[in-house]
Amino acid sequence: MKKIFLFGIATFCILNMYAEEFEINGIYYNTINEHSVEVVPHRVNVGGRPPKYENYGGLITADLPSSVTYNSVEYSVVAIGENAFNGCTTLTTIHIPNSITEIGSGAFDGCTALTSVVWNAKRCADFTYSSSPFHKIRSQITSFVFGNEVEYIPAYICYTMDNLRSITIPNSVTSVGIAAFASCSAFTSVTIPNSVTSIGASAFSGCTSLTSVTIPNSVTNVGDAAFSKCTSLTTITLPDGVLSVNDWTFSGCTQLTSVKMGENVTSIGQFAFENCQSLSAITIPDKVQDIGQYAFTKCTTLTSITIPENVTSIGSSAFSYCTSLDSISFGENSNITSIGRNAFDSCINLTSIDIPNNLSFIDTSTFRYCINLASVSVPEHITAIGPWAFMFCSNLDSINIPNTVT
């Protein structure tokens, strides 16, 4: 028992060896270790009762330093603790130094006058939707400036800041985190510098006023849903370094009229261009091998599509409800071996189709509701036709089914 007791005392002492709070220039810090401190709330001890938070009353601008010196020891300011400035109703501007690597939840809750953020943190840890330090005051932020030392823009940092009208991403940034600018509905344009190599999932999703975005040749990854529901976006060019158009990337971009994919794209993910209602034409690069399910579903103004010879698979419902689609062309040496169910369901303007020679199975409801389909060429290699494959094809008077079909 004595050994356990002594061990407990020793552990407590180690944990609290560096836990010392001090104040410099009106800001309170707590030591984390012998080299680092975090910014903490202003607390006042009241006669044996739990400390009372004073909330930095009267503070207007907080220009946090990257280091502080206390008792002749220099400490790096690496964190802003939970609730650090909570309830500071006079604070209008916060400067985050380059040394910050972590910010606790609720750090700026209740800062009802805070409208301006200067962010210099090189590589701050990611946030979630609810842990973002600006989560509860997101609609009042009108200025968010990233300094020239920032290398990574953390996930959810500006999420749903719907009064933030513009943003400049500096040349020092190499990666934009998940949902970093999602639902910033006042954005009209974004220029991504040529230092960026990766754009995270949903990074600009729901930026409904965004009309243009420049993606540099340095980018090699554009995450899932990165520009989904950008309902004002009209054109997009993906650089040659991007090898995949990921799932949901441009889903719901209803005003998108022009898309240029890089020549090295090999796959188009599920729902990648779903509900792009203004997309009347698109060129699928020659190296594409897979087109995901629902990739172009509800592209209601798309009139024609050419499937390159290297494509081996078209996913379920990939072109379903493309109601203006009247021409589908497969290369003479097409390598298609799989077309998913409902792939061309409700393509009501489609009049003819030549099914590729390498396909062995016409899946369920593949051409259902193609009401103007009058001509179908079924190759001899077809061995099976699924249920409802040509259901409600009311203009299809006859079809030659080869003897190979069992």
Side-chain angles (χ1 to χ4, degrees):
M1 179 65 76
K2 184 180 290 186
K3 288 182 179 179
I4 295 174
F5 179 72
L6 291 174
F7 175 77
I9 292 175
T11 302
F12 178 81
C13 290
I14 291 171
L15 291 174
N16 288 275
M17 182 182 299
Y18 302 110
E20 182 178 0
E21 189 173 306
F22 57 89
E23 176 267 333
I24 294 179
N25 295 329
I27 302 295
Y28 287 79
Y29 302 90
N30 190 61
T31 52
I32 298 173
N33 55 43
E34 59 183 323
H35 303 294
S36 306
V37 294
E38 65 174 341
V39 179
V40 294
H42 179 196
R43 293 174 286 198
V44 178
N45 291 318
V46 183
R49 289 178 290 175
K52 178 182 177 182
Y53 290 87
E54 291 292 321
N55 299 327
Y56 290 105
L59 184 65
I60 297 174
T61 299
D63 191 353
L64 301 179
S66 58
S67 65
V68 292
T69 300
Y70 176 68
N71 285 344
S72 301
V73 177
E74 185 176 13
Y75 296 94
S76 179
V77 180
V78 299
I80 299 174
E82 291 185 2
N83 300 303
F85 294 92
N86 191 321
C88 185
T89 57
T90 56
L91 184 66
T92 62
T93 304
I94 182 75
H95 291 249
I96 309 294
N98 59 11
S99 55
I100 292 293
T101 59
E102 186 175 349
I103 300 178
S105 62
F108 301 103
D109 285 2
C111 293
T112 54
L114 184 60
T115 59
S116 178
V117 178
V118 179
W119 184 275
N120 292 302
K122 283 185 177 181
R123 284 195 167 270
C124 187
D126 282 330
F127 306 104
T128 64
Y129 163 69
S130 58
S131 72
S132 170
F134 308 104
H135 170 61
K136 291 187 177 180
I137 58 168
R138 56 192 183 277
S139 290
Q140 66 192 50
I141 303 295
T142 57
S143 174
F144 204 108
V145 177
F146 291 96
N148 291 326
E149 293 182 85
V150 177
E151 297 174 358
Y152 174 64
I153 297 178
Y156 290 93
I157 183 63
C158 294
Y159 181 74
T160 63
M161 288 186 180
D162 50 12
N163 282 309
L164 193 61
R165 297 190 175 279
S166 64
I167 202 78
T168 299
I169 300 174
N171 283 323
S172 53
V173 172
T174 59
S175 183
V176 179
I178 294 171
F181 301 104
S183 296
C184 288
S185 56
F187 275 11
T188 57
S189 65
V190 171
T191 299
I192 299 169
N194 58 16
S195 56
V196 172
T197 59
S198 178
I199 299 171
S202 300
F204 296 93
S205 176
C207 292
T208 54
S209 297
L210 187 64
T211 59
S212 66
V213 61
T214 301
I215 302 176
N217 290 331
S218 56
V219 171
T220 57
N221 176 65
V222 178
D224 292 354
F227 297 95
S228 67
K229 299 179 182 177
C230 290
T231 53
S232 297
L233 188 64
T234 58
T235 63
I236 195 73
T237 298
L238 293 175
D240 290 341
V242 175
L243 304 183
S244 174
V245 182
N246 286 327
D247 300 347
W248 307 91
T249 301
F250 300 103
S251 171
C253 293
T254 54
Q255 297 300 313
L256 191 63
T257 59
S258 174
V259 174
K260 183 179 180 182
M261 288 182 269
E263 63 180 19
N264 294 316
V265 169
T266 60
S267 66
I268 298 173
Q270 62 181 358
F271 296 93
F273 296 96
E274 178 255 348
N275 203 31
C276 290
Q277 300 173 6
S278 301
L279 190 63
S280 59
I282 190 166
T283 300
I284 298 176
D286 290 339
K287 292 181 182 179
V288 170
Q289 299 172 16
D290 301 295
I291 299 174
Q293 62 180 356
Y294 297 92
F296 295 94
T297 187
K298 298 180 182 177
C299 290
T300 53
T301 59
L302 188 65
T303 58
S304 64
I305 195 76
T306 298
I307 309 296
E309 293 180 352
N310 285 319
V311 173
T312 60
S313 173
I314 296 176
S316 300
S317 299
F319 295 93
S320 62
Y321 297 95
C322 290
T323 52
S324 298
L325 188 65
D326 57 21
S327 173
I328 302 169
S329 175
F330 294 95
E332 184 177 347
N333 298 312
S334 173
N335 287 294
I336 285 279
T337 58
S338 173
I339 297 179
R341 59 176 56 196
N342 300 89
F344 300 98
D345 189 349
S346 299
C347 291
I348 59 175
N349 272 315
L350 189 64
T351 58
S352 64
I353 186 75
D354 290 333
I355 295 172
N357 287 327
N358 285 332
L359 195 68
S360 61
F361 175 52
I362 300 176
D363 210 336
T364 301
S365 301
T366 300
F367 299 100
R368 188 180 66 158
Y369 280 109
C370 291
I371 58 176
N372 283 306
L373 188 63
S375 172
V376 177
S377 175
V378 180
E380 293 184 357
H381 295 90
I382 294 294
T383 59
I385 298 175
W388 313 298
F390 297 95
M391 188 177 184
F392 301 118
C393 293
S394 52
N395 260 6
L396 190 62
D397 292 330
S398 63
I399 184 170
N400 291 323
I401 300 175
N403 293 330
T404 51
V405 174
T406 56

